[in-house]
Amino acid sequence: MTLEQRIQDVEARIQAACERSGRKRQEVNVIAVTKYVSLEATGAAIRAGLTQIGENRWQDAEVKWRAYQDEAVWHFIGSLQSNKAKEVVGRFAYIHSVDRISLAKAIEKQASELELKVPCFIQVNISGEQSKQGLAPEEVAPFLEQLKQYSHIRPIGLMTMAPFEAEPEQTRPVFRGLRLLRDELNRTVGMNEPLTELSMGMSNDFEVAIEEGATWVRLGSILVGKEGE
């Protein structure tokens, strides 16, 4: 499939998922995950209209960011080490993986120096898998309370990764759990502004995630492909 065909196919599937769940198409944003493709392929994706770009590691993203920094909105979606925050804050518009106070402190320090307020997602390990990063659901409310002291961090929503399932329907409880947790936090934690966003769903399971309320889906191989295809 060409890039244009992949974009059309994904768009049709997003539209169908929105229709099934009674949602509007504009409620769902697509992040094109370019970590497995070259500088050239990233540029082709941006020119094709995929202007929300997701990367996992600064050392892999740097050459792409320097080439296309002004042509896309950049999302940091991988696990972020505190000592790398200075390289990410100010370059990436969104950070999807805030899950510990040491990282929040590092983001706050850099954002304060740059006089920025960084929109962040709190990463939650809904499935409880040992291999997954993120806070346990019961840890999120006290974490948000602690974040109130950091004036340059703006929590906008939650992020999770579901286990890879051969049958995507089996991921539904994970995505539903994140949505319900967000709604509960909005009722119980007195924040400056409500959590509105849900970053969840990848190439294997994004349709189920959309049906359960995803506002950002992170799509790599299904959308931009992988080198060698």
Side-chain angles (χ1 to χ4, degrees), residues 40-105:
E40 292 73 24
T42 300
I46 292 169
R47 288 190 295 274
L50 300 173
T51 56
Q52 305 284 339
I53 299 294
E55 283 281 341
N56 282 50
R57 288 154 49 98
W58 169 244
Q59 50 266 56
D60 298 331
E62 182 175 5
V63 65
K64 301 169 192 175
W65 182 87
R66 294 198 184 283
Y68 301 114
Q69 56 184 285
D70 298 326
E71 297 174 48
V73 177
W74 295 81
H75 297 251
F76 194 87
I77 60 174
S79 180
L80 181 56
Q81 296 172 299
S82 300
N83 64 357
K84 299 289 185 185
K86 63 182 180 297
E87 295 166 337
V88 169
V89 174
R91 292 173 170 142
F92 288 75
Y94 297 86
I95 298 174
H96 287 244
S97 49
V98 178
D99 63 356
R100 60 198 187 281
I101 288 300
S102 59
L103 175 57
K105 285 179 179 175

Side-chain angles (χ1 to χ4, degrees), residues 175-191:
F175 299 136
R176 181 171 294 162
L178 195 73
R179 171 170 52 84
L180 293 174
L181 176 61
R182 179 200 62 184
D183 296 347
E184 178 190 347
L185 292 166
N186 282 331
R187 287 192 300 271
T188 58
V189 180
M191 292 172 290

